Amino acid sequence: RRPPRSTLMRSSAASDVYKRQVSTQSTGTHHQTQNMFGGGPPPPLSKRTFDKYDTDGSGTIDAKEFRSLCYDLGKRLTDTEHQLAMKMLDKDGDGEVSYAEFKVWWNDNDRWGKLKLSEEQKETMMQAVKYFKFFDKDLDGTIDQEEFKALHADLVKNNMTTHSMEDSLRDLDSDGNGVISFDEYVDWLMRIGVVKVKVMQ
């Protein structure tokens, strides 16, 4: 037996109401998704990650923000690795990582592996610290012009530079304040290829 015509009409009407509800919900969800990302598709994961850790909205990620990113993603870097990582990502040397610089690193499948130092690289850095401290006679964390005389003589002796003392001082003293910090010394070692980290290759 077929159901009464009134029952069929009620069933059809209910079906139409349900379809309209689903259509409205679907459309609403679509609009919500569009509104969330400014009316277009969501930005790439690299951009969303960058913006999340650019906590001050400066358009760049500084050393503290990058350390927070690494920690939150379960990647613990040693102080030396973190210091070198910032130097390697910061291609223009302004002390902060722009999105363009960040994206190149983020899109590399081995991005985390390239921030870790090999045992050989760790040993090189330990030797660099000892070498720097040997010439930092007053242990103030910098090498002044008087201390640099002995450092320069040793660099020449070990064929690490052929420049005059004045030219070498200008080369290492990147901020021009008259003294060489350990960071500047490491920068120089990286530039001449003594400290080689995989991310730079």
Side-chain angles (χ1 to χ4, degrees), residues 135 143-155 161 164-170 172 180:
F135 292 98
I143 292 179
D144 60 30
Q145 296 186 34
E146 189 63 31
E147 293 167 333
F148 186 69
K149 292 178 182 178
L151 172 59
H152 177 259
D154 200 68
L155 293 176
T161 185
S164 68
M165 190 179 79
E166 291 76 14
D167 288 343
S168 295
L169 181 60
R170 278 194 296 270
L172 272 78
I180 300 167

Side-chain angles (χ1 to χ4, degrees), residues 86-200:
M86 283 297 298
K87 293 182 185 300
M88 291 181 290
L89 270 67
D90 176 24
K91 299 298 185 183
D92 62 6
D94 65 355
E96 298 185 333
V97 180
S98 67
Y99 174 62
E101 294 167 332
F102 178 82
K103 183 171 65 172
V104 172
W105 168 73
W106 183 265
N107 289 338
D108 192 308
N109 290 332
D110 191 31
R111 57 180 175 266
W112 294 112
K114 290 185 175 180
L115 296 185
K116 302 293 287 184
L117 297 179
S118 67
E119 291 304 314
E120 180 181 357
Q121 290 164 342
K122 289 178 182 178
E123 180 62 26
T124 299
M125 287 302 301
M126 288 176 62
Q127 293 300 323
V129 171
K130 291 179 182 179
Y131 187 79
F132 186 89
K133 288 180 69 175
F134 178 80
F135 292 98
D136 179 20
K137 297 302 183 182
D138 57 6
L139 299 178
D140 67 348
T142 64
I143 292 179
D144 60 30
Q145 296 186 34
E146 189 63 31
E147 293 167 333
F148 186 69
K149 292 178 182 178
L151 172 59
H152 177 259
D154 200 68
L155 293 176
V156 172
K157 177 182 176 181
N158 288 285
N159 298 315
M160 293 180 69
T161 185
T162 57
H163 296 158
S164 68
M165 190 179 79
E166 291 76 14
D167 288 343
S168 295
L169 181 60
R170 278 194 296 270
D171 192 21
L172 272 78
D173 181 21
S174 57
D175 63 5
N177 67 348
V179 297
I180 300 167
S181 67
F182 182 67
D183 280 357
E184 290 173 325
Y185 176 63
V186 171
D187 282 341
W188 180 75
L189 291 179
M190 292 172 68
R191 279 189 276 124
I192 67 172
V194 172
V195 175
K196 293 183 179 179
V197 187
K198 287 184 289 183
V199 78
M200 298 181 65

